[in-house]
Amino acid sequence: MGIHRGIHNIELAQLLAKTYMKYDLSVEDFMVLNAYCMHSGYYQDRPDFKEMAKMTGKKVDELIAILKSLYEREKIQFTGDSIDRGHLYGALDAILESEKSIADRLAESKSYAGMMGSGYAEDHMGKVELVAAEGGGVAVISRPNWGRRSLWDKEDMLNLADEIKEFAEAVSQKYIDEYNENIRKQDQFEEERWEEKEKERQEAKRKRKIPKPGYIILIRISNGLYKFTYTTSLLLEQKISHIKFENGDNVQIVHTLETYDTIKFFHKFIKSQFSSRLEGNYYRLTDEDVQYIIDEKYPANAMEWLEGPVQTKA
């Protein structure tokens, strides 16, 4: 039996106080179990029966006898050393759950599913299938995203039928028609908003494909390492001024390139070409590497990103 460290003692004590009478526990039973929840050994593998005895005014033998009696009545799982508080919590919580209406349980289930995040938002108690039963009537089958389908408990189906009847008798057909119209308008609004967002995504995707002219600058810092930086929004002089403002006299402008498709040239050529020279955010370039950049004689695809597509004569 696990000792269920995750169940907080205050939480279990509060649940015990709410349900002990409905769980058919005496005041004496409650006093002993409450002492177990509140004593300092609650989170240990073995409870401190001496401390519990002082809290209840009973002898240790009397405490153990009460716990054994609760075990024999199948109220707790007791090894003689510790109580399975997960089992006790589950039994007490089931009492509270049984007192909730189907409507309350549906609301809680949907709220919990929403907190679980993507993939779980629609996986709640209300996700069901209504099935025509062979012997007549309609049955309710749960349809979770995860786990197996199952027929609802008889009591739950009876309670659901009563709550549906209660709602239907309390509203008019006009109310239902107006409610459905509001849902239709809301769905239409959501659909239009989705279409608008999809248009925005497609437009952003199209813009990403449009070449962005700009400048790529190779700089050398005082420790001999190099760095490539680029801009698609500043003039070359502005970018250089910004670099010098950030680095002061510790930087040397080695070479500048005016690029037709700056993003592709930087990410698909520069970063790929010199990936083996990368040290953190800087490059340890050789003299040959630097001269290669200055000469501006690159592969065809890089030249297209640098200068633009080659114009063919008609």
Side-chain angles (χ1 to χ4, degrees):
M1 298 179 190
I3 62 174
H4 297 271
R5 296 182 185 277
I7 299 175
H8 198 277
N9 66 326
I10 300 297
E11 185 180 8
L12 182 56
Q14 290 175 340
L15 186 58
L16 182 65
K18 291 177 182 178
T19 59
Y20 79 92
M21 294 184 65
K22 292 172 183 175
Y23 195 48
D24 194 25
L25 299 179
S26 67
V27 173
E28 186 177 53
D29 296 333
F30 166 74
M31 183 172 63
V32 171
L33 290 176
N34 187 66
Y36 172 77
C37 291
M38 303 309 297
H39 89 296
S40 61
Y42 175 84
Y43 292 106
Q44 306 303 318
D45 292 340
R46 295 171 64 106
D48 187 338
F49 289 117
K50 290 183 180 180
E51 181 183 343
M52 291 172 59
K54 290 180 181 180
M55 294 172 68
T56 59
K58 295 185 176 298
K59 297 179 180 179
V60 171
D61 290 345
E62 292 176 324
L63 286 177
I64 295 177
I66 291 171
L67 293 174
K68 285 182 177 179
S69 174
L70 290 171
Y71 171 73
E72 291 169 357
R73 291 161 53 199
E74 298 183 347
K75 296 299 182 182
I76 64 172
Q77 293 293 320
F78 181 56
T79 65
D81 290 325
S82 63
I83 296 173
D84 185 336
R85 50 185 180 265
H87 172 270
L88 178 59
Y89 184 94
L92 299 178
D93 187 59
I95 294 174
L96 289 186
E97 287 296 314
S98 68
E99 296 177 342
K100 293 178 182 177
S101 67
I102 297 295
D104 288 341
R105 289 165 60 192
L106 282 170
E108 286 185 4
S109 175
K110 192 166 186 179
S111 175
Y112 178 76
M115 291 188 293
M116 292 295 288
S118 178
Y120 293 89
E122 297 303 320
D123 194 16
H124 52 78
M125 182 182 176
K127 191 170 184 181
V128 299
E129 178 182 359
L130 301 181
V131 180
E134 293 182 2
V138 177
V140 183
I141 297 179
S142 64
R143 293 297 301 268
N145 291 342
W146 316 102
R148 296 180 179 179
R149 297 186 303 163
S150 60
L151 192 66
W152 272 30
D153 292 342
K154 180 175 181 177
E155 185 176 355
D156 285 344
M157 285 193 281
L158 288 172
N159 289 337
L160 177 62
D162 289 339
E163 291 182 39
I164 289 176
K165 184 179 180 182
E166 179 184 1
F167 171 78
E169 289 178 343
V171 300
S172 64
Q173 185 59 44
K174 180 181 178 183
Y175 170 88
I176 294 173
D177 293 340
E178 290 176 349
Y179 186 89
N180 288 338
E181 178 62 18
N182 288 333
I183 290 178
R184 186 193 66 79
K185 290 179 180 179
Q186 183 177 351
D187 289 345
Q188 183 178 355
F189 172 77
E190 292 293 337
E191 183 178 348
E192 290 173 354
R193 189 171 66 169
W194 184 88
E195 290 177 352
E196 185 63 29
K197 287 186 176 181
E198 182 61 24
K199 288 180 181 178
E200 292 174 359
R201 283 193 291 267
Q202 293 300 325
E203 178 63 15
K205 184 177 180 181
R206 184 189 68 81
K207 287 182 178 179
R208 285 196 296 269
K209 293 181 178 180
I210 297 175
K212 291 184 179 181
Y215 299 94
I216 291 179
I217 303 169
L218 174 63
I219 62 176
R220 185 178 185 272
I221 58 178
S222 57
N223 62 5
L225 295 178
Y226 293 83
K227 183 176 182 179
F228 293 95
T229 183
Y230 70 87
T231 179
T232 59
S233 59
L234 298 176
L235 296 174
L236 179 59
E237 293 77 9
Q238 292 175 319
K239 181 63 175 177
I240 291 175
S241 296
H242 183 70
I243 293 171
K244 289 183 176 180
F245 176 78
E246 286 189 332
N247 298 274
D249 297 331
N250 296 322
V251 65
Q252 172 192 353
I253 306 300
V254 177
H255 191 62
T256 63
L257 296 165
E258 184 175 1
T259 45
Y260 168 77
D261 193 334
T262 310
I263 305 301
K264 283 185 178 179
F265 189 89
F266 181 81
H267 288 284
K268 293 190 175 184
F269 176 62
I270 292 292
K271 296 186 74 172
S272 174
Q273 179 73 20
F274 300 107
S275 60
S276 62
R277 307 281 197 265
L278 190 62
E279 294 184 8
N281 294 323
Y282 298 92
Y283 293 84
R284 188 171 296 280
L285 300 178
T286 65
D287 293 341
E288 290 76 13
D289 294 330
V290 174
Q291 191 60 50
Y292 175 73
I293 295 165
I294 293 173
D295 289 343
E296 297 187 16
K297 295 179 180 180
Y298 313 127
N301 57 345
M303 291 304 296
E304 183 174 327
W305 299 328
L306 178 68
E307 300 177 340
V310 177
Q311 300 295 326
T312 56
K313 295 182 179 181

